Amino acid sequence: MNAREKNIFLAKVSDQAERYEEMINYMKAIVDTGATLTYEERDLLNIAYKNAIGSKRSAWRVISSVLQRESDEERKKLLLEYRGRIESEMQKLCADAFSILDKVIASADSDEFRIYFHKMKGDYNRYLAEVSPEGEVRTKATEEGLKAYQTATELAEKSSPDEITPLNLGLALNFSVFYYEILRQPEAAIKLAKKAFDNAIMGLDKLNEEDETYKDATQIMALLRDNLEIWQSEGTQE
């Protein structure tokens, strides 16, 4: 078993043990060799960062919920300090992810992988913007997130404009959420989600219903449809 195989093995064990920050280290060791990642390694890298960042997002939301219900000023101050520590941890972890993503984007040998990595960059900037108070960090995360999603979308439209793939649908889903939740542009969010959903409906008959691609695509389409219903109903109420 060579060094790369050992790191993949230990990354998988770390995933099962839910030790995601250690999983990140094993995947970084592979990235730092300059190697072009395989599909499996690409997915392991995403699992590691997404779960490590996700646990901090969850903690931030719990503390924010407690803070909203708290009336005692001294306790509120303690909660704000605690939440601030989590925000700092998120910034550090996301900065680490962006550094690694720049490396794998540079070494990627296909548009599909470039789309995947730029989407990851957009997602992590969205997560960072969600938890950051108004200011420099949130502004930069918003700008970088928009840039990453736009780059991924341009690549998708250039390389596979008529192809219905879970990756491209997932990109449209997450980019529309970014428009709605971070940029506060509901019309742009609805337009993007509706275009992706309508195109998928038209292209769905080209897929085999028994394939995983079909199942994944229809699951993402359901999420697009649910978001559209919520966003359009909220627009009507206003």
Side-chain angles (χ1 to χ4, degrees):
M1 191 181 286
N2 61 34
R4 187 169 183 169
E5 290 168 339
K6 287 178 184 176
N7 282 316
I8 293 170
F9 172 72
L10 290 170
K12 290 178 179 178
V13 174
S14 300
D15 182 18
Q16 293 171 14
E18 298 183 0
R19 294 174 67 87
Y20 296 110
E21 300 208 15
E22 289 180 8
M23 186 180 180
I24 286 171
N25 290 332
Y26 294 124
M27 295 313 300
K28 282 170 68 175
I30 295 172
V31 172
D32 286 341
T33 65
T36 298
L37 299 190
T38 64
Y39 279 97
E40 180 182 47
E41 291 164 349
R42 178 194 79 172
D43 292 342
L44 288 170
L45 183 70
N46 188 30
I47 289 166
Y49 275 112
K50 188 172 183 177
N51 281 285
I53 294 170
S55 68
K56 296 187 189 301
R57 280 176 84 203
S58 297
W60 187 90
R61 287 172 175 168
V62 169
I63 294 166
S64 295
S65 178
V66 174
L67 184 59
Q68 283 182 335
R69 299 193 301 269
E70 186 55 67
S71 57
D72 182 88
E73 290 302 319
E74 187 176 359
R75 289 180 177 178
K76 284 170 79 170
K77 184 181 177 183
L78 287 171
L79 287 166
L80 283 168
E81 289 173 356
Y82 193 7
R83 191 174 71 175
R85 289 207 303 274
I86 293 170
E87 289 165 4
S88 296
E89 289 172 8
M90 277 275 289
Q91 288 174 33
K92 184 178 178 182
L93 186 55
C94 286
D96 183 60
F98 300 147
S99 173
I100 291 297
L101 285 169
D102 285 340
K103 291 180 181 180
V104 294
I105 287 168
S107 66
D109 59 2
S110 71
D111 279 343
E112 180 189 350
F113 273 48
R114 292 184 194 100
I115 293 164
Y116 188 97
F117 294 135
H118 280 294
K119 176 183 172 292
M120 282 175 65
K121 205 168 185 180
D123 291 342
Y124 300 162
N125 272 295
R126 173 164 58 89
Y127 302 156
L128 184 57
E130 279 177 5
V131 306
S132 299
E134 293 295 335
E136 185 180 343
V137 173
R138 182 182 172 89
T139 299
K140 185 179 179 185
T142 301
E143 290 172 352
E144 292 296 319
L146 179 60
K147 192 188 302 180
Y149 281 132
Q150 285 174 334
T151 301
T153 301
E154 288 165 8
L155 283 168
E157 289 174 349
K158 182 188 77 172
S159 64
S160 52
D162 301 318
E163 192 177 354
I164 306 304
T165 68
L167 174 59
N168 292 357
L169 280 173
L171 169 61
L173 171 68
N174 292 9
F175 195 4
S176 64
V177 171
F178 180 83
Y179 268 119
Y180 194 86
E181 294 184 352
I182 306 301
L183 295 179
R184 307 292 187 201
Q185 295 180 17
E187 289 182 4
I190 289 169
K191 182 180 178 181
L192 176 57
K194 190 173 188 309
K195 179 184 175 184
F197 184 82
D198 290 346
N199 287 347
I201 287 287
M202 290 172 63
L204 207 57
D205 58 353
K206 297 175 185 176
L207 300 178
N208 185 337
E209 291 186 21
E210 300 302 316
D211 287 350
E212 284 298 319
T213 298
Y214 181 92
K215 294 172 185 175
D216 291 343
T218 52
Q219 286 177 353
I220 298 168
M221 287 171 66
L223 294 172
L224 283 165
R225 184 193 61 227
D226 292 346
N227 283 352
L228 279 168
E229 288 176 356
I230 293 167
W231 296 342
Q232 287 169 335
S233 68
E234 287 178 352
T236 305
Q237 288 169 11
E238 290 172 6

